[in-house]
């Protein structure tokens, strides 16, 4: 896809994401009925908004690129065989990233869409409907914030700011954070929303963050955007994140390669 094609796609994507948020998401923020919330698993809610936005985006993306498969978070929850589509050219949708926040009437929350080919993200969009902020990236062409090219910047703090969630960690992993990392970083909580966490890593709010769960709808767009901005997001062993790798834990994002290197060296030290 050429630069001109991507420019046109970015404009169409902003309109699509904005309309989805204004039609289904924002009117129900702090207005969900109890029967509009279900639990897919422990600490994993899903709402009528997730399903409505995914259906709308699926239809819209199929019109933008006929023949390209769509992999939506909720579609996969209903039919895991949909994951096989990640091996080909496909759209990847997180229709309501930060659902737990949304159900509690809290920000942040957003929409994430990625375009992938042969297991790698080639474009991505992270949309914050509350501020109308769109972070978007194209592989090899840079990262953008509301259409303006950006470069990742650190917080400038010493020690660096590390956003680490303990929610999905084992007791052993929590002990590792305390023993190896706590003395070297200013530890802060995560926003429970990848559409917000990745921007924080490039826009001077956080320096580094680790992720245990690495589902493609949460991370494909953000990893691409952060790397294109000049930060670094990669597996703990330094290998690139791929959307078609399943059940492989461990992902770290940082505002600079140097901060990534120092964090991972401490995290994996024997």
């Amino acid at each position: 896809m050429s630069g001109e094609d991507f420019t046109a796609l970015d404009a169409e994507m902003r309109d699509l994401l904005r309309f989805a948020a204004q039609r289904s998401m924002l009117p129900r923020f702090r207005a969900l009925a109890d029967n509009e919330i279900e639990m897919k698993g422990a600490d994993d809610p899903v709402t009528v908004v997730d399903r409505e936005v995914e259906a709308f985006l699926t239809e819209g993306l199929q019109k933008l690129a006929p023949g390209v498969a769509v992999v939506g978070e909720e579609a996969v929850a209903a039919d895991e065989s949909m994951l096989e589509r990640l091996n080909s050219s496909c759209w990847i949708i997180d229709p309501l990233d930060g659902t737990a926040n949304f159900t509690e009437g809290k920000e942040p929350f957003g929409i994430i869409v990625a375009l992938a080919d042969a297991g790698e993200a080639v474009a991505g969009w992270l949309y914050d409907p509350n501020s109308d902020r769109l972070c978007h990236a194209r592989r090899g062409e840079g990262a953008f914030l509301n259409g303006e090219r950006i470069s990742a910047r650190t917080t400038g703090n010493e020690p660096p700011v590390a956003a680490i969630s303990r929610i999905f960690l084992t007791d052993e992993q929590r002990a590792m954070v305390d023993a190896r990392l706590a003395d070297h970083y200013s530890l802060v909580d995560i926003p429970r929303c990848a559409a917000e966490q990745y921007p924080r890593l490039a826009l001077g709010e956080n320096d580094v963050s680790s992720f245990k769960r690495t589902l493609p709808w949460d991370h494909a767009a953000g990893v691409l955007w952060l790397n294109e901005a000049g930060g670094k997001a990669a597996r703990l062993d330094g290998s690139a994140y791929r959307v078609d790798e399943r059940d492989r834990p461990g992902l770290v994002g940082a505002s600079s390669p140097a901060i990534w290197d120092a964090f991972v060296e401490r995290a994996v030290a024997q």
Side-chain angles (χ1 to χ4, degrees):
M1 187 175 287
S2 70
E4 290 183 358
D5 290 336
F6 264 124
T7 299
L9 181 58
D10 286 333
E12 292 174 323
M13 189 66 72
R14 175 182 280 279
D15 290 343
L16 189 65
L17 297 175
R18 180 184 285 150
F19 186 77
Q22 292 176 347
R23 186 186 76 161
S24 297
M25 189 175 292
L26 295 178
R28 284 199 177 92
F29 183 44
R30 300 182 179 139
L32 281 173
D34 290 344
N35 64 0
E36 294 179 320
I37 307 170
E38 300 174 18
M39 298 302 296
K40 293 187 291 186
D43 199 39
D44 191 12
V46 61
T47 73
V48 64
V49 176
D50 296 76
R51 292 177 174 137
E52 281 187 5
V53 172
E54 182 165 309
F56 174 76
L57 291 177
T58 297
E59 181 180 356
L61 293 171
Q62 288 174 333
K63 290 179 180 178
L64 282 178
V68 177
V70 178
V71 180
E73 178 180 6
E74 304 315 323
V76 171
D79 180 3
E80 287 194 4
S81 69
M82 298 283 288
L83 289 170
E84 296 299 328
R85 298 182 177 186
L86 294 170
N87 299 320
S88 61
S89 295
C90 64
W91 297 102
I92 304 170
I93 305 172
D94 189 336
L96 175 50
D97 183 54
T99 300
N101 293 339
F102 191 88
T103 61
E104 295 169 9
K106 302 188 301 186
E107 299 178 24
F109 52 87
I111 305 173
I112 306 175
V113 177
L115 179 61
D117 184 52
E120 297 182 347
V122 296
W125 299 264
L126 303 97
Y127 181 63
D128 176 1
N130 295 293
S131 65
D132 197 37
R133 180 189 68 197
L134 181 64
C135 299
H136 48 114
R138 314 160 193 166
R139 187 172 66 184
E141 296 188 30
F144 301 82
L145 174 62
N146 292 331
E148 299 293 327
R149 187 163 184 159
I150 63 128
S151 295
R153 63 179 186 269
T154 69
T155 65
N157 290 358
E158 190 56 47
V161 178
I164 299 177
S165 172
R166 297 171 182 259
I167 296 173
F168 302 110
L169 299 183
T170 64
D171 289 342
E172 181 181 358
Q173 289 167 332
R174 293 188 185 99
M176 181 278 292
V177 169
D178 293 333
R180 301 180 187 175
L181 302 176
D183 290 343
H184 303 281
Y185 297 93
S186 175
L187 299 181
V188 298
D189 202 1
I190 63 166
R192 298 193 70 183
C193 173
E196 173 64 21
Q197 186 59 64
Y198 280 101
R200 290 185 182 186
L201 290 169
L203 301 178
E205 187 168 347
N206 293 161
D207 288 301
V208 62
S209 191
S210 63
F211 307 95
K212 182 177 180 180
R213 297 202 309 177
T214 61
L215 298 167
W217 39 85
D218 289 326
H219 296 285
V223 166
L224 175 67
W225 185 78
L226 183 58
N227 283 328
E228 288 291 330
K232 182 174 180 178
R235 296 289 187 181
L236 283 168
D237 62 3
S239 62
Y241 177 81
R242 293 181 55 86
V243 305
D244 56 355
E245 291 181 329
R246 303 179 196 174
D247 302 321
R248 185 179 175 192
L251 176 65
V252 173
S255 54
S256 75
I259 289 175
W260 191 97
D261 289 344
F263 181 88
V264 170
E265 182 177 1
R266 292 187 174 104
V268 302
Q270 299 299 317

